[in-house]
Amino acid sequence: MARPVDHQRRRELLERATDYVIDHGIAEMSLRPLADALDTQAPVLLHHFGSKEQLVALLLNEVRARLRHVARAAAEEGDDPVDAVWRWATDPAHDALYRTFFEAYGLALRDPAAYQPFLDTVVTDWLAELGQGGDPIAVTALIALVRGLLLDLLATGDSERVNTTYQRVAPALRGVGARRCTSLRSPSGIRPRHLSGDTAWPPDELTATVG
């Protein structure tokens, strides 16, 4: 008869394993080095998590959950959640967490069947967290802005340019949301089909910012 899983111990191992992959990466993770770092043995990890693949799937969601907690905490304090996430994310002390997040994103896209729960929530939970009462299309654009600029920052280290871009573009996207525009300017400059003939496109605040 198989030993029952100790759920408190399982949670502890998952939290410590998440700390480990943030420091060491997730794509090439092996059970034996992870077990050594957690002062346990690989069979113990298999007992609690079933397989390496199941553990990796949980780790992906744990990384995502840690990032989501930032937005929730900011919202509870009455701060603008997008700005709060941006300030926290661009602190060099958190680079490793975001490198792991983007690594997890790539891993899930490479093997969506194995990591579908991550893909199912990696956008929608942020839409729910940041978009309460707002235009979901504008919030989508803000999420894309933050994630794209974070990739740029991690790749180039050019914090001045990246922060200036955020500070200049983010307020314009909020303005787009307030005006209920449901698309951003396309590269060809084609007017979104849903807009009426007398609706200005692109919005003045977006044109002034990025034009």
Side-chain angles (χ1 to χ4, degrees), residues 63-89 97-98 122-132 139 143 146-147:
V63 169
R64 177 188 56 79
R66 288 194 183 189
L67 295 179
R68 187 182 180 191
H69 174 75
V70 178
R72 181 178 293 123
E76 290 174 353
E77 294 173 2
D79 198 354
D80 179 274
V82 182
D83 286 345
V85 168
W86 180 254
R87 289 193 300 271
W88 194 90
L97 178 56
Y98 277 92
V122 71
V123 173
T124 56
D125 58 3
W126 284 88
L127 285 171
E129 206 71 56
L130 303 178
Q132 298 177 13
V139 176
I143 293 170
V146 169
R147 289 181 175 176

